[in-house]
Amino acid sequence: MTSFTVHDDTRRHDELRERISEILHKVAPDVEATTSLPLPAHVCFRLLTPKAWRHAQVQHAQRILARDIADLDLGPGPIGVVRIAMRETARVTGALTWPLKLATSMEADGGAYETLMAPKALRHAGVLAHEPSLLQVVAHELVHHLQFAAASGTVWTTLFPHLRGIDPRSVTTFREGHAAWTDRHITGRLFGAPVDHRRDGSKSWRYRLHNGLPGIRRLGPSLEAYDRGARFFADVTAATGTDVVNRVWKDATLHPAAGEFADADAWIGRVADVERKRGLDHA
């Protein structure tokens, strides 16, 4: 049985904290049923000010860098380059993107997992005044919690993907596509059609200003990555159910390559070939 905790670190959004807690309890069974993956024993959401949200992003990047340094053979040059990039990201990207980042799920200090939400960003995006959009955002982030639990023991987040054999664009498409596919299933059942907070709700002038900045979408996952990944999951699960695709969380060798997201049948065939070969090797 999963327990849910929603912390209001702003100390000004008790009503929102209660709304999010109610949504978590409401959608959790659907999230597990849709994905065929179990939620972890504890799920934590935190409400932060934009400043605290940006600081948490920096702390997370520092933890990832520390893990990379411990695991990988890195010289001072690459580490220095990444540290400079982290400072620039904190100074520029965080200030430009926070009104567009409605929630971020990440590893917390001590190895737990949590979702960070800035109520001010939710208000600028029109989500606070549109309950279906708030439910979609919460359900989407809840999926990331069961992804983290399913991938326990494997590394999906790194500042040196080429040294870990990770294609960050493919990983993003897989993770966000999985979450988008799930939240569309859930909101479709609840509201008669999938909800998309990007088009629903009244956006503030600040949201529209930031969203209209040239190149702003290159600072985060592309909207196309969400849609392409969601289509991939829809195609794969229609053909094989969830069992095959859920093996990817524990076996990075089965991860779809960039070109396979547009050809689910090719990926299903490759997975079958890999597992057939493994069966022969163990025979």
Side-chain angles (χ1 to χ4, degrees):
M1 184 72 175
T2 299
S3 64
F4 301 98
T5 303
V6 183
H7 296 289
D8 177 19
D9 293 0
T10 71
R11 300 184 180 181
R12 294 190 299 174
H13 294 90
D14 281 345
E15 188 264 343
L16 177 59
R17 178 178 58 80
E18 290 295 329
R19 287 169 66 189
I20 291 172
S21 180
E22 290 174 4
I23 290 171
L24 285 168
H25 285 88
K26 179 178 182 177
V27 302
D30 270 355
V31 166
E32 291 186 316
T34 300
T35 62
S36 302
L37 291 172
L39 285 164
H42 181 67
V43 169
C44 178
F45 276 52
R46 289 171 56 203
L47 304 180
L48 304 174
T49 65
K51 181 178 180 180
W53 178 86
R54 292 194 296 268
H55 181 62
Q57 309 302 305
V58 173
Q59 289 182 313
H60 177 246
Q62 290 172 343
R63 289 193 294 270
I64 297 304
L65 177 59
R67 183 174 65 191
D68 282 341
I69 291 172
D71 291 350
L72 303 173
D73 184 17
L74 302 171
I79 294 173
V81 169
V82 166
R83 283 182 170 146
I84 291 172
M86 286 167 56
R87 285 197 294 270
E88 287 301 302
T89 298
R91 184 176 67 85
V92 178
T93 305
L96 293 178
T97 62
W98 74 262
L100 311 176
K101 301 284 281 187
L102 306 190
T104 306
S105 295
M106 61 175 64
E107 295 176 63
D109 194 18
Y113 201 71
E114 64 184 9
T115 295
L116 310 181
M117 307 177 81
K120 195 170 182 179
L122 297 173
R123 177 172 59 81
H124 282 300
V127 169
L128 293 186
H130 190 253
E131 195 69 16
S133 289
L134 180 60
L135 186 144
Q136 182 215 356
V137 171
V138 172
H140 184 101
E141 297 305 319
L142 187 57
V143 176
H144 289 315
H145 284 259
L146 57 78
Q147 291 173 351
F148 181 76
S152 178
T154 62
V155 174
W156 283 66
T157 306
T158 176
L159 297 174
F160 298 89
H162 60 290
L163 296 181
R164 291 191 183 271
I166 293 174
D167 180 346
R169 291 173 297 180
S170 293
V171 167
T172 297
T173 300
F174 190 79
R175 292 180 72 249
E176 297 299 346
H178 182 235
W181 168 75
T182 305
D183 77 52
R184 291 172 188 180
H185 264 270
I186 292 170
T187 58
R189 284 198 293 267
L190 291 175
F191 304 110
V195 174
D196 185 351
H197 69 81
R198 298 173 295 183
R199 66 167 187 259
D200 298 325
S202 178
K203 314 303 183 190
S204 74
W205 67 268
R206 184 158 196 172
Y207 181 98
R208 296 194 301 271
L209 174 66
H210 284 249
N211 196 41
L213 292 172
I216 190 69
R217 287 297 175 182
R218 290 199 296 271
L219 301 178
S222 70
L223 301 182
E224 199 271 334
Y226 287 75
D227 294 338
R228 185 170 69 249
R231 288 193 299 270
F232 172 81
F233 273 91
D235 291 343
V236 170
T237 56
T240 67
T242 55
D243 180 61
V244 175
V245 77
N246 280 345
R247 297 174 202 168
V248 176
W249 302 109
K250 286 292 189 184
D251 187 349
T253 65
L254 302 180
H255 197 284
E260 290 177 320
F261 283 105
D263 191 348
D265 288 339
W267 178 79
I268 293 169
R270 178 170 69 82
V271 171
D273 287 343
V274 169
E275 296 189 335
R276 188 182 305 111
K277 184 177 184 302
R278 288 174 179 172
L280 291 173
D281 290 343
H282 286 96

